[in-house]
Amino acid sequence: MAALITGGARSGKSSFAERYAAKLAERGIYIATAAIGDDEMRERITRHREQREEGGFRWETVEETLKLAEQLDTLNQEADEAVRSGSKPPVVLVDCLTLWLTNTLLAYEHEPAGRLEQEVDRLVEAVAAYRHPLLLVTNEVGSGIVPAYPLGRTFRDAAGRMNRKMAEVCDRTFLVVSGIPVDLSRIAVSLDDL
């Protein structure tokens, strides 16, 4: 069961995802994709970790900035083993896909254009294959102005395509606006219904 949780910056996506996770399992694995690039980011990461620890839900934090698909494959196998042994698997929360995309874009910036898309497709496959509770936080970045520089436009377009692909393989998709989650899956319109 995978759910995609999207929204703007500081919309409440992560706190909704953490509360949702607590309803799905007794413990969780928090995959943090942020890379520490400066003191401000280090402070943010420390603050987020402290907030999770104070929340009362048991989190194990895994930092993974690039090899996210491989990490999900491994966790999927571990969760399968837990189920076989009679245990309930943890919920996995990835926060966030757009930071992972940024890291991946920068890592492969000088490689052929299709390389980024291959990495996104590999991640989509890993999410589609995941058989246990999985929550994916991402940013909705395409609603603003067109970036003035090529790398910014590449990122914006890649994020939009990634989010669309993820929504296709997830069971539910939520949009969080001003702290209010909206279940897009329940209000989506099918072309067949028109």
Side-chain angles (χ1 to χ4, degrees):
M1 185 234 91
L4 181 67
I5 300 162
T6 189
R10 297 284 174 247
S11 63
K13 303 177 302 290
S14 295
S15 60
F16 169 69
E18 290 171 18
R19 291 191 317 271
Y20 189 16
K23 291 187 159 290
L24 297 175
E26 298 170 3
R27 62 187 181 90
I29 297 174
Y30 195 102
I31 302 179
T33 62
I36 299 174
D38 55 36
D39 289 339
E40 187 269 339
M41 185 56 96
R42 183 183 325 286
E43 185 179 309
R44 271 182 192 246
I45 290 169
T46 300
R47 191 174 344 112
H48 284 214
R49 186 179 284 242
E50 288 170 354
Q51 288 170 344
R52 284 194 304 275
E53 290 170 1
E54 293 169 2
F57 186 71
R58 261 188 330 157
W59 287 109
E60 172 190 341
T61 300
V62 174
E63 294 181 10
E64 184 55 68
T65 60
L66 283 174
K67 303 288 184 191
L68 188 52
E70 292 84 348
Q71 184 68 244
L72 288 177
D73 290 342
T74 299
L75 291 172
N76 199 21
Q77 292 171 358
E78 290 174 5
D80 285 344
E81 291 170 16
V83 169
R84 281 194 292 275
S85 69
S87 299
K88 188 174 179 184
V91 60
V92 172
L93 192 160
V94 176
D95 196 359
C96 84
L97 293 179
T98 41
L99 285 174
W100 169 83
L101 184 68
T102 299
N103 300 335
T104 304
L105 175 63
L106 294 176
Y108 299 119
E109 180 180 4
H110 301 294
E111 293 199 22
R115 180 64 194 268
L116 180 63
E117 204 67 31
Q118 289 173 344
E119 293 297 318
V120 168
D121 288 345
R122 173 68 187 94
L123 181 58
V124 170
E125 289 172 11
V127 168
Y130 204 86
R131 294 174 291 281
H132 308 283
L134 174 63
L135 304 177
L136 307 160
V137 175
T138 190
N139 288 292
E140 196 59 46
V141 298
S143 299
I145 61 171
V146 175
Y149 50 97
L151 190 61
R153 289 189 296 274
T154 297
F155 171 77
R156 187 223 30 204
D157 293 350
R161 286 190 297 271
M162 176 186 68
N163 288 347
R164 191 174 64 238
K165 289 177 179 182
M166 285 296 175
E168 288 174 4
V169 299
C170 286
D171 301 295
R172 296 180 85 178
T173 299
F174 296 92
L175 172 66
V176 181
V177 179
S178 302
I180 301 169
V182 178
D183 189 341
L184 297 178
S185 305
R186 293 198 177 166
I187 61 172
V189 176
S190 168
L191 283 176
D192 295 336
D193 296 335
L194 299 178

